[in-house]
């Protein structure tokens, strides 16, 4: 009888221990499986299934809260990365446009410097800020000399200045450009007949 009781007790203990092990280990194995899935797929929207309300269930809740925080941080990081990529793309586009504009400006400057005609740019007050190589040679202005100290009108004789002030400049401003015959002073002070073109560059306000 004692042997039977002992055998029954051992069998009952074995069955209870098996149930207890499944009750404890299965939720932990489930957590481990969830963690493995997240690590493999980087999907932080996955949540562990809570199967009980004891300490293991509390561990599952804590694990899921941690996943919620990680998902929020990951989402914020992805948003920041996307915005950064957009800013980098916009900056690269801007740099490309600037380089193209600089290349176009350099090409235009090279053309102006190579032409045998005088090319001069001046502000609305007639003060020049650019004179090409031919202009320096024909007018007798040294290449390294500051040209902002002389007004464009005084490159012409007095009679031509009167016509420019009364007729050609108003028409250029009104029509956008003017072309005609006039004269300028050469490097020796003598008058040189020229075909002159005036182009008025206006700002966005039309001035």
């Amino acid at each position: 009888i004692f042997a039977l009781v002992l055998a029954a007790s051992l069998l009952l203990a074995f069955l209870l221990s098996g149930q207890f092990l499944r009750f404890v280990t299965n939720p932990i194995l489930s957590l481990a499986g969830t963690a493995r899935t997240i690590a493999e797929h980087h999907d932080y929207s996955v949540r562990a299934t809570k199967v009980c309300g004891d300490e293991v269930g509390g561990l599952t809740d804590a694990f899921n809260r941690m996943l919620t925080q990680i998902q929020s941080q990951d989402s914020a990081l992805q948003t920041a990365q996307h915005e950064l990529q957009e800013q980098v793309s916009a900056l690269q586009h801007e740099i490309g446009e600037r380089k193209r504009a600089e290349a176009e400006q350099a090409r235009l400057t090279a053309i102006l410097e190579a032409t045998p005609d005088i090319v001069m740019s001046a502000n609305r007050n007639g003060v020049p800020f650019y004179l090409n190589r031919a202009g320096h040679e024909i007018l007798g202005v040294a290449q390294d000399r500051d040209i902002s100290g002389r007004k464009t009108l005084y490159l012409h004789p007095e009679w031509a200045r009167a016509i420019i002030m009364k007729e050609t400049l108003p028409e250029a401003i009104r029509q956008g450009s003017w072309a005609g015959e006039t004269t300028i002073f050469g490097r020796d002070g003598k008058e040189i007949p020229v075909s002159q073109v005036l182009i008025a560059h206006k700002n966005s306000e039309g001035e």
Side-chain angles (χ1 to χ4, degrees):
I1 295 175
F2 176 75
L4 291 175
V5 173
L6 180 61
S9 300
L10 290 175
L11 179 60
L12 179 60
F14 176 77
L15 293 175
L16 290 175
S17 64
Q19 292 293 331
F20 178 74
L21 287 174
R22 284 194 297 271
F23 180 77
V24 174
T25 58
N26 285 349
I28 295 177
L29 291 175
S30 177
L31 282 176
T34 302
R36 189 180 305 109
T37 300
I38 294 170
E40 291 175 353
H41 301 286
H42 302 285
D43 183 5
Y44 298 105
S45 64
V46 177
R47 294 293 182 269
T49 302
K50 183 178 179 180
V51 296
C52 57
D54 57 4
E55 289 81 358
V56 178
L59 178 62
T60 303
D61 290 336
F63 182 75
N64 287 334
R65 286 196 297 270
M66 179 186 68
L67 289 177
T68 300
Q69 293 177 353
I70 294 176
Q71 182 182 12
S72 177
Q73 294 172 356
D74 183 67
S75 177
L77 179 60
Q78 290 182 359
T79 300
Q81 288 177 337
H82 179 69
E83 292 177 352
L84 180 61
Q85 289 176 350
E86 289 184 342
Q87 292 175 358
V88 170
S89 297
L91 181 60
Q92 289 176 339
H93 178 73
E94 181 181 349
I95 292 174
E97 290 295 323
R98 186 179 302 172
K99 287 184 177 179
R100 282 190 287 271
E102 290 175 351
E104 183 64 22
Q105 180 65 36
R107 188 180 70 86
L108 177 60
T109 300
I111 294 173
L112 295 179
E113 289 297 311
T115 182
D117 299 321
I118 299 174
V119 179
M120 177 181 287
S121 295
N123 61 22
R124 61 186 299 175
N125 297 319
V127 178
F129 54 84
Y130 171 77
L131 181 64
N132 69 343
R133 183 180 293 108
H136 280 278
E137 294 176 356
I138 295 173
L139 299 176
V141 180
Q143 291 285 344
D144 57 351
R145 182 178 175 183
D146 182 14
I147 62 172
S148 62
R150 55 194 302 178
K151 289 193 175 183
T152 55
L153 280 176
Y154 292 97
L155 300 175
H156 302 273
E158 187 175 352
W159 65 268
R161 291 200 297 269
I163 295 175
I164 292 173
M165 288 294 295
K166 294 180 180 179
E167 300 177 13
T168 60
L169 278 178
E171 183 175 348
I173 294 173
R174 184 173 59 254
Q175 302 294 335
S177 65
W178 172 89
E181 305 295 324
T182 183
T183 61
I184 61 173
F185 289 122
R187 62 190 309 156
D188 57 1
K190 295 181 179 180
E191 295 185 11
I192 303 175
V194 294
S195 295
Q196 187 170 358
V197 177
L198 297 179
I199 300 176
H201 296 279
K202 299 180 180 180
N203 57 24
S204 58
E205 297 178 354
E207 297 181 350

